[in-house]
Amino acid sequence: MAAGSTYTPIATTTLGSAAASVTLSSISTAYTDLIVIVNTYLSANAYSYMQVGNNGLDAGTNLSVTWLYGYGNSTSGSIRQSNTATPFFDWQGNDQGFGTAIINFQNYANTSVYKTFLFKDASTNTHGELDVGVGLWRSTSALNTIKFTAAGTTFVAGSTFTVYGIQAA
Amino acid sequence: MATNRVSPKKGKVVDIPDAVVTIGTPTAGDASVSVAFTASTPATGGPVQKYTAISSPDSITVSGSTSPVVVTGLTNGTAYTFTVAAANATGNGVFSSASASTTPATQTSFESISTVALSSSNGTITFSSIPSTYKHLQIRMFATGSTTADAYIRFNNDSTATYFCHQMRGGGGGTAQGYSYATQNQMVITSNIGQSSTSFSAAVCDVLDYQNTNKNKTIRSLNGYDLNGSGEAIFWSGAWNNSSSAVSRIDIIMSSGTFGSNSHFALYGIKG
């Protein structure tokens, strides 16, 4: 069996001041999988969302997502189909606790198939929500651009966005 | 042959230790190497106060009272050999022969072990002879199939009813549901593979404490599929009711049909 080092940090963005969006671009396609870890806090009660693409964002309605979510004493499942963006961190209340998302893009550079991604995200305020989901980018292009946007507000200073590459043997 | 020298402290003639060190196998670390050796009692120059290891190149010198001596401050990516000598108050004795060459490197906690990328269909993926050097394992798979089916996981080719698993799952518009499956012949790693030749199911499955021979082995798998209008997200937990065996083999098996072309299975090790 081959054994090699992997789980390599590719890029990290730490906001020095509030920003409405963060784009991770020109992501190397040399890895097998990508993992993106986001830790943030919104400046106002809102939600954030993710877009992806190849050498820029896909403006078509080629994203879909299926997820389970729970908050308070309620659980449910939801689907969004033919969207341009995947929602994250849907804060329900009047305060905006920190949110963390871990997103796995598997075989993200494969040019024969669509891209499936798995994610977990949660917000931790008093109205926090936990999501576990799967999404699909219906494109056979390599995925090398990811953008996170705070809808109508900003990510606060100190928010971090890190992308890692995992290389299979 | 030992050489007589004058002790700077007592003014006596004290021999340095003779050749008593046999070099062992060095073990590379992160900017360091652990230098193992054996030593006998010197005929002259005793008692030994310490052992001194010197690197080549860079002549970095570190002393210790027993084997191994860990030499730090090395440059990752540079090949080093080491010699070791016993030392007393007079100084270092006769140095050993040089060790085998070893190269320190940046240490990682997550390493690739083995990968199967299918160019044609296959019903079972096997990872055998799994190294015992990690704390946990992670399977990352991305798969389609010849028919819609679940993918099972078994350890050590054990197909007896020694597995348990539980899931929380759900898709659009429905309430999340949980299920339990006791005394199965396998655990499920991901469900409903094979609904599309282009939209693959994905799973990230952690196999926890797989070397522990005092407790059952547990897995956690986040998996799902999305087909633009239908799909499911599923979170599995499972256990192999075997507390005495370390996991050395993992089989991933389609419950019906075969995994399709472009399916990809990768096994990683996570250090403890």
Side-chain angles (χ1 to χ4, degrees):
Chain A
M1 289 187 175
S5 302
T6 187
Y7 216 121
T8 305
I10 297 174
T12 296
T13 297
T14 302
L15 296 182
S17 59
S21 65
V22 171
T23 300
L24 306 169
S25 59
S26 302
I27 297 170
S28 170
T29 56
Y31 299 93
T32 307
D33 298 341
L34 295 179
I35 294 178
V36 179
I37 299 179
V38 178
N39 189 232
T40 188
Y41 185 102
L42 297 187
S43 303
N45 184 30
Y47 70 99
S48 61
Y49 57 88
M50 180 185 75
Q51 297 167 277
V52 300
N54 173 265
N55 296 328
L57 298 174
D58 184 351
T61 51
N62 296 312
L63 268 179
S64 50
V65 62
T66 301
W67 76 100
L68 304 175
Y69 64 90
Y71 58 89
N73 58 4
S74 173
T75 61
S76 191
S78 185
I79 279 181
R80 292 193 184 188
Q81 56 182 306
S82 297
N83 276 277
T84 58
T86 297
F88 285 106
F89 308 136
D90 191 4
W91 281 279
Q92 303 284 326
N94 296 318
D95 52 350
Q96 302 85 42
F98 264 98
T100 297
I102 302 173
I103 311 157
N104 292 268
F105 295 96
Q106 290 174 252
N107 264 15
Y108 70 104
N110 189 312
T111 55
S112 297
V113 300
Y114 296 162
K115 312 303 179 297
T116 300
F117 55 95
L118 299 165
F119 61 91
K120 296 180 283 188
D121 71 271
S123 53
T124 57
N125 64 340
T126 55
H127 303 276
E129 177 177 319
L130 173 67
D131 302 325
V132 176
V134 56
L136 181 70
W137 181 41
R138 293 184 302 283
S139 171
T140 54
S141 298
L143 187 157
N144 66 1
T145 306
I146 304 169
K147 181 180 182 181
F148 295 93
T149 300
T153 183
T154 57
F155 298 115
V156 300
S159 298
T160 58
F161 303 77
T162 305
V163 57
Y164 300 88
I166 290 181
Q167 180 63 61
Chain B
M1 179 67 71
T3 303
N4 292 335
R5 293 181 182 173
V6 176
S7 168
K9 290 185 177 179
K10 298 182 180 179
K12 295 180 180 177
V13 176
V14 178
D15 292 338
I16 59 173
D18 53 8
V20 296
V21 175
T22 301
I23 197 72
T25 302
T27 303
D30 189 352
S32 68
V33 170
S34 176
V35 182
F37 58 89
T38 57
S40 56
T41 301
T44 58
V48 174
Q49 295 184 341
K50 62 182 179 181
Y51 296 91
T52 302
I54 299 179
S55 74
S56 176
D58 297 341
S59 298
I60 296 175
T61 302
V62 174
S63 295
S65 58
T66 59
S67 173
V69 171
V70 178
V71 180
T72 59
L74 304 175
T75 302
N76 285 338
T78 298
Y80 289 92
T81 61
F82 300 87
T83 54
V84 177
N88 60 17
T90 302
N92 294 323
V94 178
F95 277 86
S96 69
S97 58
S99 71
S101 176
T102 188
T103 304
T106 301
Q107 300 297 293
T108 59
S109 57
F110 190 98
E111 296 180 344
S112 177
I113 297 173
S114 184
T115 300
V116 176
L118 295 183
S119 57
S120 59
S121 60
N122 193 326
T124 301
I125 306 300
T126 299
F127 295 112
S128 58
S129 302
I130 295 170
S132 60
T133 50
Y134 299 99
K135 181 68 172 176
H136 310 293
L137 301 174
Q138 185 174 90
I139 302 164
R140 303 177 66 86
M141 60 176 282
F142 178 79
T144 188
S146 60
T147 187
T148 301
D150 294 341
Y152 296 146
I153 183 171
R154 286 178 180 152
F155 295 150
N156 294 6
N157 205 28
D158 181 2
S159 60
T160 63
T162 53
Y163 301 89
F164 307 86
C165 50
H166 312 273
Q167 61 166 302
M168 180 182 71
R169 67 191 303 162
T175 301
Q177 296 176 302
Y179 299 94
S180 293
Y181 305 87
T183 59
Q184 302 288 298
N185 299 323
Q186 63 278 312
M187 296 173 284
V188 178
I189 187 171
T190 187
S191 302
N192 294 331
I193 292 174
Q195 302 194 61
S196 165
S197 61
T198 52
S199 302
F200 284 33
S201 295
V204 176
C205 177
D206 295 309
V207 182
L208 304 171
D209 213 4
Y210 72 109
Q211 286 293 306
N212 194 307
T213 53
N214 292 302
K215 63 184 181 185
N216 297 337
K217 314 305 177 296
T218 53
I219 69 167
R220 299 290 182 267
S221 180
L222 172 61
N223 60 89
Y225 62 95
D226 185 279
L227 299 173
N228 187 27
S230 63
E232 281 188 298
I234 309 161
F235 196 49
W236 282 97
S237 69
W240 181 38
N241 191 18
N242 183 318
S243 62
S244 60
S245 300
V247 175
S248 60
R249 168 177 166 164
I250 295 173
D251 290 281
I252 304 171
I253 307 157
M254 275 291 272
S255 60
S256 178
T258 56
F259 295 113
S261 179
N262 281 310
S263 296
H264 192 275
F265 308 82
L267 178 67
Y268 299 88
I270 302 170
K271 292 181 179 175

